[in-house]
Amino acid sequence: MRKTIIAGNWKMNKTHTEAAKTLKELAALVIDKENLGGVEVIIGAPFTALESAVRATEGTPIAIAAENMSEHASGAFTGEISATMLKELGVEYVILGHSERRAIYGETDATVNAKVKAALKAGLKPILCIGEQLEDRESGRTNEVNGTQLKGGLEGVTTEDMANVIVAYEPVWAIGTGVTATPEMAEETHAFVRSALVELYGNAVAEEVTIQYGGSMKPGNAPELLAQKNIDGGLIGGAALEADSFYGIIAAGK
Ligand code: PEP
């Protein structure tokens, strides 16, 4: 049985005090593991808020993710943060290859792949983001682009490691725009991503990988999206900033 995982991505929002406050509010709504009915909850926070976020969620079922990290283990990389630094803080997950990292900071499939492998080596669980631009979709290249990003990001990742990898399909045209892929459109691409995972790792492994949808997911559209066969959770930006709306999505996943 695949896990349903609802993850928030706060991006460059919230100071460490704001992060702790929102997480206390969220923890009060989440209550405990039993109340989540098997849904796993993750919050991706900025580097400066991670320590407070880990502390604020101790003893709760909320796990913390970083939003990026270096592909290097240590050394002369001014301003960078390593997987080991995150792991030692109590961070469990790391969002990698987000479309903003690819578009604004020039991350390639090779960079993302190096980061995925560095995360796994340090015991962090990567959330590998993939997704097509609007022009890719309009020119019929949706599957090609997602297939390339998926295979590129997972190059050299073993079957055993796949138990610790989450894939997030985020059509770039739906991120932060208020435009959501219809549940049917999203399901079609999720099914394609699953078939690409079957090609890479075989059916048994592919069936166990959680594939999240991301792109203007909200409490209102989450039930229909999460009801799709191959949509196993969400990666949520805007609607994860407030505890109430994020919990509305979590509740839809139960
Ligand atoms: C995201 O940034 O990963 C995202 C899905 O953002 P939003 O929910 O705001 O579209």
Side-chain angles (χ1 to χ4, degrees), residues 9 11 98-100 129 170 174-178 213-217 235-239:
N9 173 16
K11 311 192 183 188
H98 190 277
S99 61
E100 288 151 17
C129 303
E170 302 202 297
I175 295 179
T177 58
Y213 169 79
S216 299
M217 199 187 244
L235 181 56
I236 297 109

Coordinates of all heavy atoms in Angstrom, one line a residue, residues 9 11 98-100 129 170 174-178 213-217 235-239, ligand 1:
N9 N 5.4 23.4 1.1 CA 6.6 24.0 0.7 C 6.5 25.5 1.0 O 5.8 26.2 0.2 CB 6.9 23.8 -0.8 CG 8.1 24.5 -1.3 OD1 8.9 25.1 -0.6 ND2 8.2 24.6 -2.6
K11 N 8.7 27.8 0.8 CA 9.5 28.7 0.0 C 10.2 29.7 0.8 O 10.6 29.4 2.0 CB 8.7 29.3 -1.2 CG 7.8 28.3 -1.9 CD 7.3 28.8 -3.1 CE 6.4 27.8 -3.7 NZ 5.9 28.1 -5.1
H98 N 12.9 21.5 -7.4 CA 11.7 22.3 -7.6 C 11.9 23.2 -8.9 O 13.0 23.7 -9.2 CB 11.5 23.2 -6.4 CG 10.2 23.8 -6.3 ND1 9.9 25.0 -7.0 CD2 9.0 23.5 -5.8 CE1 8.6 25.3 -6.9 NE2 8.1 24.4 -6.1
S99 N 10.8 23.5 -9.5 CA 10.8 24.2 -10.8 C 11.5 25.6 -10.6 O 12.1 26.1 -11.5 CB 9.5 24.3 -11.4 OG 8.6 25.0 -10.6
E100 N 11.3 26.2 -9.4 CA 11.9 27.5 -9.2 C 13.5 27.3 -9.1 O 14.2 28.2 -9.5 CB 11.4 28.1 -7.9 CG 9.9 28.6 -8.1 CD 9.1 28.6 -6.8 OE1 9.6 28.5 -5.7 OE2 7.8 28.6 -7.0
C129 N 11.2 16.8 -7.5 CA 10.1 17.5 -8.3 C 10.4 17.4 -9.8 O 11.6 17.7 -10.2 CB 10.1 18.9 -7.9 SG 9.8 19.2 -6.1
E170 N 4.7 18.4 -10.7 CA 4.2 19.7 -10.5 C 4.2 20.4 -11.9 O 5.3 20.9 -12.3 CB 5.1 20.5 -9.6 CG 5.2 20.0 -8.2 CD 5.5 21.0 -7.2 OE1 6.7 21.6 -7.3 OE2 4.7 21.3 -6.3
A174 N 1.0 25.5 -13.4 CA -0.1 25.4 -12.3 C 0.5 25.9 -11.0 O -0.2 26.0 -10.0 CB -0.6 24.0 -12.2
I175 N 1.8 26.2 -10.9 CA 2.4 26.5 -9.6 C 2.2 28.0 -9.3 O 2.7 28.8 -10.1 CB 3.9 26.2 -9.6 CG1 4.1 24.6 -9.7 CG2 4.6 26.7 -8.3 CD1 5.5 24.2 -9.7
G176 N 1.5 28.3 -8.2 CA 1.3 29.6 -7.8 C 0.5 30.5 -8.7 O 0.4 31.7 -8.6
T177 N -0.2 29.9 -9.6 CA -1.0 30.6 -10.6 C -2.5 30.6 -10.3 O -3.2 31.3 -10.9 CB -0.8 30.0 -12.0 OG1 -1.2 28.6 -12.0 CG2 0.7 30.1 -12.5
G178 N -2.9 29.7 -9.4 CA -4.3 29.5 -9.2 C -4.9 28.6 -10.2 O -6.1 28.1 -10.1
Y213 N 1.0 15.3 -6.3 CA 0.7 16.4 -7.2 C 0.9 17.7 -6.6 O 0.7 17.9 -5.4 CB -0.8 16.3 -7.6 CG -1.2 17.5 -8.4 CD1 -0.9 17.6 -9.8 CD2 -1.8 18.6 -7.8 CE1 -1.2 18.8 -10.5 CE2 -2.1 19.8 -8.5 CZ -1.8 19.8 -9.9 OH -2.1 21.0 -10.6
G214 N 1.5 18.7 -7.4 CA 1.6 20.0 -6.9 C 1.3 21.0 -7.9 O 1.5 20.8 -9.1
G215 N 0.6 22.1 -7.5 CA 0.2 23.1 -8.4 C -1.2 23.7 -8.0 O -2.2 23.1 -8.4
S216 N -1.2 24.7 -7.2 CA -2.4 25.4 -6.8 C -3.4 24.4 -6.1 O -4.6 24.5 -6.3 CB -3.1 26.1 -7.9 OG -2.2 27.1 -8.4
M217 N -2.9 23.4 -5.4 CA -3.8 22.5 -4.6 C -4.3 23.3 -3.4 O -3.5 24.0 -2.7 CB -3.0 21.3 -4.2 CG -3.9 20.1 -3.8 SD -3.0 18.7 -3.1 CE -3.3 17.5 -4.3
L235 N 2.1 18.3 -2.9 CA 3.2 19.3 -2.5 C 2.5 20.6 -2.7 O 2.1 21.0 -3.8 CB 4.4 19.1 -3.4 CG 5.6 20.0 -3.1 CD1 6.0 19.8 -1.6 CD2 6.8 19.7 -4.0
I236 N 2.4 21.3 -1.6 CA 1.6 22.5 -1.6 C 2.4 23.8 -1.2 O 3.1 23.8 -0.2 CB 0.4 22.3 -0.6 CG1 -0.5 21.1 -1.1 CG2 -0.4 23.5 -0.4 CD1 -0.3 19.9 -0.2
G237 N 2.2 24.8 -2.0 CA 2.9 26.1 -1.7 C 2.0 27.0 -1.0 O 1.9 26.9 0.3
G238 N 1.3 27.9 -1.7 CA 0.5 28.9 -1.1 C -0.4 28.4 0.0 O -0.5 29.0 1.1
A239 N -1.1 27.4 -0.2 CA -2.1 26.9 0.8 C -1.5 26.2 2.0 O -2.2 25.8 2.9 CB -3.2 26.0 0.1
Ligands
PEP1 C1 4.9 24.6 -5.2 O1 5.6 25.6 -5.1 O2 5.5 23.5 -5.1 C2 3.5 24.7 -5.4 C3 2.8 23.6 -5.7 O3 3.0 25.9 -5.1 P1 1.4 26.3 -5.1 O4 0.7 25.3 -4.3 O5 1.4 27.7 -4.5 O6 0.9 26.3 -6.6

